[in-house]
Amino acid sequence: MENRVGLNLLYAQTVTDIERGWILVNKEQHRQLKSLQEKGSKKEFISLAQTLKYYGYIKFDPCITDFPEKGCHVIVSAGNNELNFHVKLPNDQIKEGSFKVTRMRCWRVTSSQVPLVNGTANSPVKTETKLELAFEYLMSKDRLQWVTISSPQAIMMSISLQAMVDELMVKKSGGNLKKMLKKRMNGSLRRSDSQQAVKSPPLLDSPDSNREPIVKLSSKLSSVSIRGIGTSNSSNDISANDFHGNYAFEGIGDDDL
């Protein structure tokens, strides 16, 4: 925070997030922040904000998930090495929960064409692109489950996941980003051996075997590029390269849940 331009940008972003309610603030914290703001103490303001819940999270637009049941409306936030869910259940009850990045074995983004309206003899059926992010999550010691999010921002969610995984791996590499990237390129970077003890379905299993034909997206979303625009005839045609394997995946025990 020594750079003046960077400090001003970070300060402005923090103030905006608080005003939007993206960062949770109680009355006493709000009073302290207001006092620091009036004094022009931007560094102290940011330092206090960094201790608050949901600081630094990216909040996505409302979307749909199949967890805990299909068709639930959800607001997803990414930050602090987790995806946070605010789910609206069919009975209008709101539930909050988090999915830790270290418990995601892998994830993928898929795209399908969904009809908008029925066509006539003289007009084709209009379609729209539906994006989904699906991740395989370690719910308990020996049980993995797919969780799917339907959102136009699925690619951005995937990029956020990759960024959090990369940050974890940099820390495990002693803070050396080049060393971590070199290990990954050489294939010497491996996930925890504890993963081998997890009973898991085959990697190529689809989260939903009845899903419509999909368009393969890039497995290298860090460069935000889209690979071959070929449409597969079956969800089982997906290659292993279409999955984002999580090198930060950690096996856990029931006592850790």
Side-chain angles (χ1 to χ4, degrees), residues 221-249:
L221 286 177
S222 57
S223 60
V224 201
S225 61
I226 299 179
R227 63 188 278 263
I229 311 296
T231 304
S232 66
N233 295 322
S234 167
S235 58
N236 293 326
D237 290 341
I238 302 170
S239 70
N241 291 329
D242 292 310
F243 285 83
H244 298 261
N246 183 3
Y247 290 101
F249 178 85

PDB file of all heavy atoms in Angstrom, residues 221-249:
ATOM      1  N   LEU A 221      -7.906 -21.594 -18.907  1.00  0.00           N
ATOM      2  CA  LEU A 221      -8.658 -20.356 -18.784  1.00  0.00           C
ATOM      3  C   LEU A 221      -7.823 -19.223 -18.233  1.00  0.00           C
ATOM      4  O   LEU A 221      -8.270 -18.076 -18.235  1.00  0.00           O
ATOM      5  CB  LEU A 221      -9.883 -20.580 -17.890  1.00  0.00           C
ATOM      6  CG  LEU A 221     -11.000 -21.385 -18.575  1.00  0.00           C
ATOM      7  CD1 LEU A 221     -12.131 -21.633 -17.604  1.00  0.00           C
ATOM      8  CD2 LEU A 221     -11.526 -20.648 -19.788  1.00  0.00           C
ATOM      9  N   SER A 222      -6.622 -19.538 -17.746  1.00  0.00           N
ATOM     10  CA  SER A 222      -5.785 -18.453 -17.253  1.00  0.00           C
ATOM     11  C   SER A 222      -5.422 -17.500 -18.389  1.00  0.00           C
ATOM     12  O   SER A 222      -5.131 -16.341 -18.169  1.00  0.00           O
ATOM     13  CB  SER A 222      -4.515 -19.015 -16.613  1.00  0.00           C
ATOM     14  OG  SER A 222      -3.811 -19.819 -17.527  1.00  0.00           O
ATOM     15  N   SER A 223      -5.455 -17.988 -19.632  1.00  0.00           N
ATOM     16  CA  SER A 223      -5.194 -17.132 -20.784  1.00  0.00           C
ATOM     17  C   SER A 223      -6.488 -16.682 -21.444  1.00  0.00           C
ATOM     18  O   SER A 223      -6.474 -16.021 -22.464  1.00  0.00           O
ATOM     19  CB  SER A 223      -4.330 -17.879 -21.810  1.00  0.00           C
ATOM     20  OG  SER A 223      -4.997 -19.044 -22.255  1.00  0.00           O
ATOM     21  N   VAL A 224      -7.615 -17.056 -20.865  1.00  0.00           N
ATOM     22  CA  VAL A 224      -8.936 -16.677 -21.333  1.00  0.00           C
ATOM     23  C   VAL A 224      -9.088 -16.933 -22.819  1.00  0.00           C
ATOM     24  O   VAL A 224      -9.521 -16.073 -23.569  1.00  0.00           O
ATOM     25  CB  VAL A 224      -9.245 -15.190 -21.029  1.00  0.00           C
ATOM     26  CG1 VAL A 224     -10.735 -14.952 -21.043  1.00  0.00           C
ATOM     27  CG2 VAL A 224      -8.684 -14.777 -19.690  1.00  0.00           C
ATOM     28  N   SER A 225      -8.730 -18.120 -23.272  1.00  0.00           N
ATOM     29  CA  SER A 225      -8.902 -18.477 -24.669  1.00  0.00           C
ATOM     30  C   SER A 225      -9.874 -19.636 -24.783  1.00  0.00           C
ATOM     31  O   SER A 225     -10.011 -20.441 -23.870  1.00  0.00           O
ATOM     32  CB  SER A 225      -7.560 -18.880 -25.288  1.00  0.00           C
ATOM     33  OG  SER A 225      -7.034 -20.002 -24.628  1.00  0.00           O
ATOM     34  N   ILE A 226     -10.578 -19.695 -25.911  1.00  0.00           N
ATOM     35  CA  ILE A 226     -11.535 -20.771 -26.144  1.00  0.00           C
ATOM     36  C   ILE A 226     -10.970 -21.684 -27.206  1.00  0.00           C
ATOM     37  O   ILE A 226     -10.604 -21.242 -28.286  1.00  0.00           O
ATOM     38  CB  ILE A 226     -12.892 -20.206 -26.597  1.00  0.00           C
ATOM     39  CG1 ILE A 226     -13.456 -19.295 -25.520  1.00  0.00           C
ATOM     40  CG2 ILE A 226     -13.870 -21.310 -26.929  1.00  0.00           C
ATOM     41  CD1 ILE A 226     -14.781 -18.664 -25.869  1.00  0.00           C
ATOM     42  N   ARG A 227     -10.904 -22.984 -26.897  1.00  0.00           N
ATOM     43  CA  ARG A 227     -10.336 -23.923 -27.855  1.00  0.00           C
ATOM     44  C   ARG A 227     -11.426 -24.499 -28.713  1.00  0.00           C
ATOM     45  O   ARG A 227     -12.595 -24.190 -28.538  1.00  0.00           O
ATOM     46  CB  ARG A 227      -9.553 -25.019 -27.136  1.00  0.00           C
ATOM     47  CG  ARG A 227     -10.349 -25.893 -26.219  1.00  0.00           C
ATOM     48  CD  ARG A 227      -9.414 -26.793 -25.431  1.00  0.00           C
ATOM     49  NE  ARG A 227      -9.028 -27.952 -26.192  1.00  0.00           N
ATOM     50  CZ  ARG A 227      -9.621 -29.124 -26.080  1.00  0.00           C
ATOM     51  NH1 ARG A 227     -10.621 -29.281 -25.252  1.00  0.00           N
ATOM     52  NH2 ARG A 227      -9.232 -30.138 -26.790  1.00  0.00           N
ATOM     53  N   GLY A 228     -11.050 -25.393 -29.627  1.00  0.00           N
ATOM     54  CA  GLY A 228     -11.897 -25.977 -30.637  1.00  0.00           C
ATOM     55  C   GLY A 228     -13.391 -25.799 -30.457  1.00  0.00           C
ATOM     56  O   GLY A 228     -13.966 -26.297 -29.524  1.00  0.00           O
ATOM     57  N   ILE A 229     -14.047 -25.117 -31.364  1.00  0.00           N
ATOM     58  CA  ILE A 229     -15.476 -24.876 -31.227  1.00  0.00           C
ATOM     59  C   ILE A 229     -16.222 -26.048 -31.830  1.00  0.00           C
ATOM     60  O   ILE A 229     -17.120 -25.889 -32.645  1.00  0.00           O
ATOM     61  CB  ILE A 229     -15.875 -23.565 -31.937  1.00  0.00           C
ATOM     62  CG1 ILE A 229     -14.940 -22.443 -31.514  1.00  0.00           C
ATOM     63  CG2 ILE A 229     -17.308 -23.178 -31.607  1.00  0.00           C
ATOM     64  CD1 ILE A 229     -15.000 -22.092 -30.053  1.00  0.00           C
ATOM     65  N   GLY A 230     -15.850 -27.247 -31.461  1.00  0.00           N
ATOM     66  CA  GLY A 230     -16.546 -28.427 -31.947  1.00  0.00           C
ATOM     67  C   GLY A 230     -17.569 -28.872 -30.937  1.00  0.00           C
ATOM     68  O   GLY A 230     -17.309 -28.888 -29.754  1.00  0.00           O
ATOM     69  N   THR A 231     -18.759 -29.261 -31.406  1.00  0.00           N
ATOM     70  CA  THR A 231     -19.810 -29.719 -30.504  1.00  0.00           C
ATOM     71  C   THR A 231     -19.754 -31.224 -30.391  1.00  0.00           C
ATOM     72  O   THR A 231     -19.785 -31.938 -31.388  1.00  0.00           O
ATOM     73  CB  THR A 231     -21.193 -29.303 -31.027  1.00  0.00           C
ATOM     74  OG1 THR A 231     -21.200 -27.897 -31.191  1.00  0.00           O
ATOM     75  CG2 THR A 231     -22.275 -29.716 -30.057  1.00  0.00           C
ATOM     76  N   SER A 232     -19.677 -31.750 -29.186  1.00  0.00           N
ATOM     77  CA  SER A 232     -19.624 -33.186 -28.983  1.00  0.00           C
ATOM     78  C   SER A 232     -21.016 -33.762 -29.074  1.00  0.00           C
ATOM     79  O   SER A 232     -22.019 -33.082 -28.875  1.00  0.00           O
ATOM     80  CB  SER A 232     -19.014 -33.509 -27.624  1.00  0.00           C
ATOM     81  OG  SER A 232     -19.848 -33.057 -26.601  1.00  0.00           O
ATOM     82  N   ASN A 233     -21.124 -35.039 -29.372  1.00  0.00           N
ATOM     83  CA  ASN A 233     -22.407 -35.708 -29.472  1.00  0.00           C
ATOM     84  C   ASN A 233     -22.848 -36.321 -28.170  1.00  0.00           C
ATOM     85  O   ASN A 233     -23.947 -36.818 -28.043  1.00  0.00           O
ATOM     86  CB  ASN A 233     -22.339 -36.810 -30.545  1.00  0.00           C
ATOM     87  CG  ASN A 233     -22.114 -36.231 -31.925  1.00  0.00           C
ATOM     88  OD1 ASN A 233     -22.663 -35.180 -32.253  1.00  0.00           O
ATOM     89  ND2 ASN A 233     -21.286 -36.908 -32.728  1.00  0.00           N
ATOM     90  N   SER A 234     -21.990 -36.322 -27.198  1.00  0.00           N
ATOM     91  CA  SER A 234     -22.329 -36.923 -25.912  1.00  0.00           C
ATOM     92  C   SER A 234     -21.485 -36.293 -24.834  1.00  0.00           C
ATOM     93  O   SER A 234     -20.354 -35.899 -25.061  1.00  0.00           O
ATOM     94  CB  SER A 234     -22.083 -38.441 -25.941  1.00  0.00           C
ATOM     95  OG  SER A 234     -22.132 -38.966 -24.634  1.00  0.00           O
ATOM     96  N   SER A 235     -22.043 -36.220 -23.641  1.00  0.00           N
ATOM     97  CA  SER A 235     -21.278 -35.661 -22.528  1.00  0.00           C
ATOM     98  C   SER A 235     -20.100 -36.547 -22.183  1.00  0.00           C
ATOM     99  O   SER A 235     -19.158 -36.120 -21.537  1.00  0.00           O
ATOM    100  CB  SER A 235     -22.185 -35.493 -21.303  1.00  0.00           C
ATOM    101  OG  SER A 235     -22.748 -36.736 -20.946  1.00  0.00           O
ATOM    102  N   ASN A 236     -20.125 -37.791 -22.631  1.00  0.00           N
ATOM    103  CA  ASN A 236     -19.021 -38.706 -22.336  1.00  0.00           C
ATOM    104  C   ASN A 236     -17.852 -38.514 -23.283  1.00  0.00           C
ATOM    105  O   ASN A 236     -16.825 -39.155 -23.157  1.00  0.00           O
ATOM    106  CB  ASN A 236     -19.505 -40.159 -22.417  1.00  0.00           C
ATOM    107  CG  ASN A 236     -20.497 -40.496 -21.328  1.00  0.00           C
ATOM    108  OD1 ASN A 236     -20.387 -39.980 -20.222  1.00  0.00           O
ATOM    109  ND2 ASN A 236     -21.463 -41.342 -21.634  1.00  0.00           N
ATOM    110  N   ASP A 237     -18.033 -37.625 -24.290  1.00  0.00           N
ATOM    111  CA  ASP A 237     -16.951 -37.381 -25.241  1.00  0.00           C
ATOM    112  C   ASP A 237     -15.904 -36.425 -24.687  1.00  0.00           C
ATOM    113  O   ASP A 237     -14.902 -36.169 -25.310  1.00  0.00           O
ATOM    114  CB  ASP A 237     -17.515 -36.780 -26.543  1.00  0.00           C
ATOM    115  CG  ASP A 237     -18.336 -37.799 -27.324  1.00  0.00           C
ATOM    116  OD1 ASP A 237     -18.153 -39.002 -27.062  1.00  0.00           O
ATOM    117  OD2 ASP A 237     -19.147 -37.387 -28.176  1.00  0.00           O
ATOM    118  N   ILE A 238     -16.158 -35.893 -23.506  1.00  0.00           N
ATOM    119  CA  ILE A 238     -15.238 -34.911 -22.934  1.00  0.00           C
ATOM    120  C   ILE A 238     -13.916 -35.589 -22.594  1.00  0.00           C
ATOM    121  O   ILE A 238     -13.879 -36.624 -21.965  1.00  0.00           O
ATOM    122  CB  ILE A 238     -15.836 -34.293 -21.664  1.00  0.00           C
ATOM    123  CG1 ILE A 238     -17.180 -33.651 -22.011  1.00  0.00           C
ATOM    124  CG2 ILE A 238     -14.907 -33.277 -21.061  1.00  0.00           C
ATOM    125  CD1 ILE A 238     -17.955 -33.232 -20.800  1.00  0.00           C
ATOM    126  N   SER A 239     -12.840 -34.967 -23.014  1.00  0.00           N
ATOM    127  CA  SER A 239     -11.527 -35.531 -22.710  1.00  0.00           C
ATOM    128  C   SER A 239     -11.069 -35.073 -21.352  1.00  0.00           C
ATOM    129  O   SER A 239     -11.566 -34.106 -20.793  1.00  0.00           O
ATOM    130  CB  SER A 239     -10.516 -35.094 -23.780  1.00  0.00           C
ATOM    131  OG  SER A 239     -10.249 -33.719 -23.649  1.00  0.00           O
ATOM    132  N   ALA A 240     -10.076 -35.767 -20.820  1.00  0.00           N
ATOM    133  CA  ALA A 240      -9.557 -35.413 -19.491  1.00  0.00           C
ATOM    134  C   ALA A 240      -8.981 -34.001 -19.489  1.00  0.00           C
ATOM    135  O   ALA A 240      -8.920 -33.350 -18.463  1.00  0.00           O
ATOM    136  CB  ALA A 240      -8.483 -36.416 -19.068  1.00  0.00           C
ATOM    137  N   ASN A 241      -8.560 -33.516 -20.660  1.00  0.00           N
ATOM    138  CA  ASN A 241      -7.974 -32.185 -20.732  1.00  0.00           C
ATOM    139  C   ASN A 241      -8.994 -31.081 -20.519  1.00  0.00           C
ATOM    140  O   ASN A 241      -8.639 -29.931 -20.345  1.00  0.00           O
ATOM    141  CB  ASN A 241      -7.287 -31.977 -22.086  1.00  0.00           C
ATOM    142  CG  ASN A 241      -6.048 -32.832 -22.235  1.00  0.00           C
ATOM    143  OD1 ASN A 241      -5.383 -33.118 -21.244  1.00  0.00           O
ATOM    144  ND2 ASN A 241      -5.758 -33.249 -23.449  1.00  0.00           N
ATOM    145  N   ASP A 242     -10.299 -31.413 -20.588  1.00  0.00           N
ATOM    146  CA  ASP A 242     -11.332 -30.407 -20.380  1.00  0.00           C
ATOM    147  C   ASP A 242     -11.599 -30.181 -18.902  1.00  0.00           C
ATOM    148  O   ASP A 242     -12.403 -29.337 -18.546  1.00  0.00           O
ATOM    149  CB  ASP A 242     -12.630 -30.824 -21.076  1.00  0.00           C
ATOM    150  CG  ASP A 242     -12.480 -30.788 -22.592  1.00  0.00           C
ATOM    151  OD1 ASP A 242     -12.008 -29.768 -23.100  1.00  0.00           O
ATOM    152  OD2 ASP A 242     -12.817 -31.786 -23.243  1.00  0.00           O
ATOM    153  N   PHE A 243     -10.965 -30.945 -18.042  1.00  0.00           N
ATOM    154  CA  PHE A 243     -11.122 -30.789 -16.601  1.00  0.00           C
ATOM    155  C   PHE A 243      -9.966 -29.979 -16.040  1.00  0.00           C
ATOM    156  O   PHE A 243      -8.836 -30.096 -16.490  1.00  0.00           O
ATOM    157  CB  PHE A 243     -11.154 -32.156 -15.901  1.00  0.00           C
ATOM    158  CG  PHE A 243     -12.449 -32.894 -16.075  1.00  0.00           C
ATOM    159  CD1 PHE A 243     -12.688 -33.634 -17.215  1.00  0.00           C
ATOM    160  CD2 PHE A 243     -13.423 -32.839 -15.090  1.00  0.00           C
ATOM    161  CE1 PHE A 243     -13.883 -34.317 -17.377  1.00  0.00           C
ATOM    162  CE2 PHE A 243     -14.611 -33.511 -15.246  1.00  0.00           C
ATOM    163  CZ  PHE A 243     -14.848 -34.252 -16.393  1.00  0.00           C
ATOM    164  N   HIS A 244     -10.263 -29.166 -15.030  1.00  0.00           N
ATOM    165  CA  HIS A 244      -9.225 -28.447 -14.304  1.00  0.00           C
ATOM    166  C   HIS A 244      -8.877 -29.270 -13.072  1.00  0.00           C
ATOM    167  O   HIS A 244      -9.597 -29.240 -12.073  1.00  0.00           O
ATOM    168  CB  HIS A 244      -9.722 -27.060 -13.879  1.00  0.00           C
ATOM    169  CG  HIS A 244     -10.065 -26.181 -15.048  1.00  0.00           C
ATOM    170  ND1 HIS A 244      -9.215 -25.228 -15.537  1.00  0.00           N
ATOM    171  CD2 HIS A 244     -11.168 -26.140 -15.833  1.00  0.00           C
ATOM    172  CE1 HIS A 244      -9.779 -24.629 -16.564  1.00  0.00           C
ATOM    173  NE2 HIS A 244     -10.966 -25.165 -16.764  1.00  0.00           N
ATOM    174  N   GLY A 245      -7.809 -30.055 -13.140  1.00  0.00           N
ATOM    175  CA  GLY A 245      -7.375 -30.814 -11.982  1.00  0.00           C
ATOM    176  C   GLY A 245      -6.851 -29.866 -10.918  1.00  0.00           C
ATOM    177  O   GLY A 245      -6.126 -28.926 -11.224  1.00  0.00           O
ATOM    178  N   ASN A 246      -7.222 -30.096  -9.678  1.00  0.00           N
ATOM    179  CA  ASN A 246      -6.864 -29.184  -8.590  1.00  0.00           C
ATOM    180  C   ASN A 246      -5.652 -29.716  -7.836  1.00  0.00           C
ATOM    181  O   ASN A 246      -5.753 -30.668  -7.074  1.00  0.00           O
ATOM    182  CB  ASN A 246      -8.053 -29.023  -7.638  1.00  0.00           C
ATOM    183  CG  ASN A 246      -7.771 -28.029  -6.532  1.00  0.00           C
ATOM    184  OD1 ASN A 246      -6.711 -27.414  -6.488  1.00  0.00           O
ATOM    185  ND2 ASN A 246      -8.724 -27.876  -5.634  1.00  0.00           N
ATOM    186  N   TYR A 247      -4.491 -29.077  -8.034  1.00  0.00           N
ATOM    187  CA  TYR A 247      -3.265 -29.511  -7.360  1.00  0.00           C
ATOM    188  C   TYR A 247      -3.273 -29.178  -5.877  1.00  0.00           C
ATOM    189  O   TYR A 247      -2.434 -29.652  -5.131  1.00  0.00           O
ATOM    190  CB  TYR A 247      -2.045 -28.874  -8.037  1.00  0.00           C
ATOM    191  CG  TYR A 247      -1.779 -29.414  -9.412  1.00  0.00           C
ATOM    192  CD1 TYR A 247      -2.165 -28.709 -10.540  1.00  0.00           C
ATOM    193  CD2 TYR A 247      -1.155 -30.650  -9.578  1.00  0.00           C
ATOM    194  CE1 TYR A 247      -1.939 -29.213 -11.815  1.00  0.00           C
ATOM    195  CE2 TYR A 247      -0.915 -31.159 -10.843  1.00  0.00           C
ATOM    196  CZ  TYR A 247      -1.304 -30.436 -11.951  1.00  0.00           C
ATOM    197  OH  TYR A 247      -1.081 -30.943 -13.209  1.00  0.00           O
ATOM    198  N   ALA A 248      -4.229 -28.346  -5.458  1.00  0.00           N
ATOM    199  CA  ALA A 248      -4.319 -27.997  -4.036  1.00  0.00           C
ATOM    200  C   ALA A 248      -5.314 -28.886  -3.303  1.00  0.00           C
ATOM    201  O   ALA A 248      -5.596 -28.670  -2.140  1.00  0.00           O
ATOM    202  CB  ALA A 248      -4.738 -26.528  -3.881  1.00  0.00           C
ATOM    203  N   PHE A 249      -5.853 -29.907  -4.007  1.00  0.00           N
ATOM    204  CA  PHE A 249      -6.839 -30.800  -3.400  1.00  0.00           C
ATOM    205  C   PHE A 249      -6.219 -31.536  -2.222  1.00  0.00           C
ATOM    206  O   PHE A 249      -5.109 -32.048  -2.284  1.00  0.00           O
ATOM    207  CB  PHE A 249      -7.319 -31.815  -4.435  1.00  0.00           C
ATOM    208  CG  PHE A 249      -8.311 -32.823  -3.915  1.00  0.00           C
ATOM    209  CD1 PHE A 249      -9.653 -32.509  -3.872  1.00  0.00           C
ATOM    210  CD2 PHE A 249      -7.900 -34.069  -3.455  1.00  0.00           C
ATOM    211  CE1 PHE A 249     -10.587 -33.438  -3.383  1.00  0.00           C
ATOM    212  CE2 PHE A 249      -8.804 -34.988  -2.987  1.00  0.00           C
ATOM    213  CZ  PHE A 249     -10.154 -34.674  -2.942  1.00  0.00           C
TER     214      PHE A 249
END
